[in-house]
Amino acid sequence: MSEPSRFDRGHTDDLMSFLAAGPTPYHAVASAGARLEKAGFRQVAETDAWDGSAGGKFVLRGGAIIAWYVPEGAAPHTPFRIVGAHTDSPNLRVKPRPDSGAHGFRQVAVEIYGGPLMNSWLDRDLGLAGRLSLRDGSTRLVDVDRPLLRVPQLAIHLDRSVSGEGLKLDKQRHLQPVWGLGDDVRDGDLIAFLEQESGLPAGSVTGWDLMTYTVEPPAYLGRDHDLLAGPRMDNLLSVHAGTAALAAVATGGADLPCIPVLAAFDHEETGSQSDTGADGPLLGSVLERSVLARGGSYEDRARAFAGTVCLSSDTGHAVHPNYAERHDPTHHPRLNGGPILKVNVNNRYATDGSGRAVFAAACERAGVPFQTFVSNNSMPCGTTIGPITAARHGIRTVDIGAAILSMHSARELCGADDPFLLANALVAFLEG
């Protein structure tokens, strides 16, 4: 079968593996960390003293990762070049008392995380993954990567209004998945099952952060395989591109005038206000400690931050062929048209004219075309970690990303060449 493309699909193939390996933010950052370790980075603990040695380092905290590469001879006031992204996606997350059921069905009680397209979670085979907290204080990742749960949709024969009035879902009543049959529902059944799946002793799990995900793997789509369908592209597509770009810059031997950084946060879909979110202190703490570890002062920190630029990379809306009227009439980003520059004069995005110039220069150096996204004036504009990063740290920030369709669906759609184009633009940006 032919697979024509202007670009090498190796990057997109690798993205598909990354998406499949990252059913939760915890798994995604573990995968990113493993990739960086192969590129020579080493993990450092926040509780340890840091040294100012050259090379690549990274910090993992929950579902967030901050990674940076210090070139040989970098001065304490050397500015940073940051690729920012987020690791979380809207989904169905397990409640503290998960075991429920009715009318002979065993069910799992879930809560709605973020703003998912709820209908996209119906009648899909779902796995279950996340983080288990153990009695001894340690944590363990768990991933039941097989059809385990399903949210069954009501048959049209029992609700004829669906055809005329559309589907209406109650978040509490209609989205609780089933995972078996039986009337003897007991508290602790789900966690006992996960302990067994993980090879843990019974009763060893005392806390959990669990979420459902679709087990259908990412796949090329279309006659020419020019589309890519898959889960969690918002925003693991950017996390993957940033990880690949940082690894490439660190191993490329370039004489870097800056310190390249990857900052991938959790909880963007719910406002970023957590210790692992962009509105928390994690990024500022890591950057400041890097300055101080190289013998810097507060003055060096201020100089470094003043010269720093962040590209906040998140997915954006491609023009939809069936709903073109929902888009701005003069801004129609297309799939496989290159990364998008996201602009909103009300600061829902952090881009201004000087930021546009920075991104345009990076794309020019990389030989990558780019497009511009602006929301239709009659519709509210979404936001990203960009304005938060700019306001919290006083860092010049530019909002960019890859254009996709079906954002916040359980399964999203992008151009198969756009991930490669985005990663190349990020490499040029990180090289300064």
Side-chain angles (χ1 to χ4, degrees):
M1 182 178 296
S2 64
E3 192 173 321
S5 172
R6 292 176 296 159
F7 305 107
D8 177 14
R9 284 285 168 80
H11 178 89
T12 306
D13 292 341
D14 192 60
L15 169 61
M16 294 166 72
S17 298
F18 187 77
L19 293 173
T24 76
Y26 315 114
H27 290 81
V29 299
S31 180
R35 288 162 182 260
L36 290 172
E37 284 183 330
K38 288 183 179 179
F41 285 68
R42 62 183 174 89
Q43 183 176 353
V44 294
E46 293 183 78
T47 53
D48 291 343
W50 292 1
D51 62 56
S53 60
K57 305 178 180 69
F58 66 92
V59 166
L60 293 180
R61 183 195 287 186
I65 181 170
I66 311 291
W68 66 102
Y69 178 80
V70 179
E72 289 286 350
H77 60 269
T78 301
F80 301 93
R81 283 238 163 174
I82 305 167
V83 172
H86 69 88
T87 60
D88 59 321
S89 300
N91 58 13
L92 310 178
R93 301 204 172 189
V94 175
K95 288 184 174 180
R97 294 189 63 184
D99 300 291
S100 66
H103 306 290
F105 286 97
R106 295 176 185 268
Q107 294 178 275
V108 174
V110 296
E111 188 173 2
I112 312 303
Y113 178 84
L117 282 172
M118 294 187 294
N119 63 292
S120 70
W121 288 86
L122 302 177
D123 296 332
R124 289 191 182 272
D125 297 335
L126 304 177
L128 188 64
R131 178 178 64 177
L132 301 175
S133 298
L134 309 186
R135 193 174 299 278
D136 63 6
S138 64
T139 60
R140 177 80 64 88
L141 296 185
V142 61
D143 181 11
V144 184
D145 185 15
R146 64 178 186 272
L148 182 69
L149 307 103
R150 187 179 179 93
V151 182
Q153 188 168 190
L154 184 65
I156 192 171
H157 312 80
L158 303 179
D159 184 8
R160 299 286 184 180
S161 66
V162 169
S163 297
E165 300 175 15
L167 179 64
K168 298 179 181 179
L169 295 172
D170 182 281
K171 293 180 180 180
Q172 178 63 43
R173 295 184 294 122
H174 297 153
L175 291 171
Q176 306 306 309
V178 300
W179 73 305
L181 300 173
D183 292 307
D184 56 335
V185 176
R186 297 182 300 272
D187 282 344
D189 277 355
L190 180 66
I191 300 307
F193 164 75
L194 293 175
E195 287 173 337
Q196 186 176 21
E197 286 282 313
S198 305
L200 295 169
S204 59
V205 173
T206 55
W208 51 87
D209 302 280
L210 300 167
M211 56 204 76
T212 64
Y213 69 97
T214 62
V215 297
E216 184 181 2
Y220 286 109
L221 184 73
R223 182 194 65 182
D224 298 326
H225 289 189
D226 50 2
L227 299 168
L228 176 67
R232 300 177 297 281
M233 291 185 189
D234 178 15
N235 187 34
L236 293 190
L237 189 159
S238 293
V239 176
H240 175 261
T243 302
L246 180 60
V249 169
T251 57
D255 184 16
L256 300 174
C258 57
I259 295 174
V261 179
L262 169 68
F265 302 99
D266 202 351
H267 303 129
E268 188 272 348
E269 299 292 355
T270 56
S272 296
Q273 292 184 320
S274 71
D275 69 321
T276 53
D279 203 17
L282 181 58
L283 176 61
S285 174
V286 168
L287 298 184
E288 185 168 357
R289 289 183 68 177
S290 174
V291 170
L292 297 177
R294 285 176 280 121
S297 63
Y298 179 82
E299 181 72 10
D300 292 312
R301 176 229 184 254
R303 293 175 65 189
F305 276 45
T308 291
V309 185
C310 173
L311 290 188
S312 165
S313 182
D314 202 345
T315 54
H317 303 294
V319 62
H320 197 298
N322 300 335
Y323 300 90
E325 73 281 0
R326 299 297 183 98
H327 299 265
D328 182 85
T330 60
H331 295 79
H332 283 174
R334 296 191 174 193
L335 300 187
N336 285 339
I340 55 174
L341 180 75
K342 302 160 82 169
V343 180
N344 180 265
V345 295
N346 294 298
N347 286 334
R348 299 293 285 172
Y349 302 131
T351 307
D352 62 10
S354 65
R356 176 190 172 90
V358 170
F359 185 59
C363 290
E364 184 177 353
R365 286 196 301 273
V368 168
F370 74 92
Q371 312 174 83
T372 304
F373 172 82
V374 178
S375 287
N376 185 306
N377 288 345
S378 299
M379 304 187 69
C381 180
T383 190
T384 68
I385 66 167
I388 294 171
T389 303
R392 183 171 182 83
H393 305 293
I395 290 172
R396 181 163 51 147
T397 303
V398 189
D399 271 295
I400 66 157
I404 68 171
L405 293 180
S406 306
M407 187 183 293
H408 286 199
S409 172
R411 195 166 177 84
E412 296 162 326
L413 188 69
C414 76
D417 293 326
D418 281 332
F420 178 80
L421 294 171
L422 175 63
N424 277 282
L426 295 184
V427 168
F429 166 75
L430 290 176
E431 288 176 343

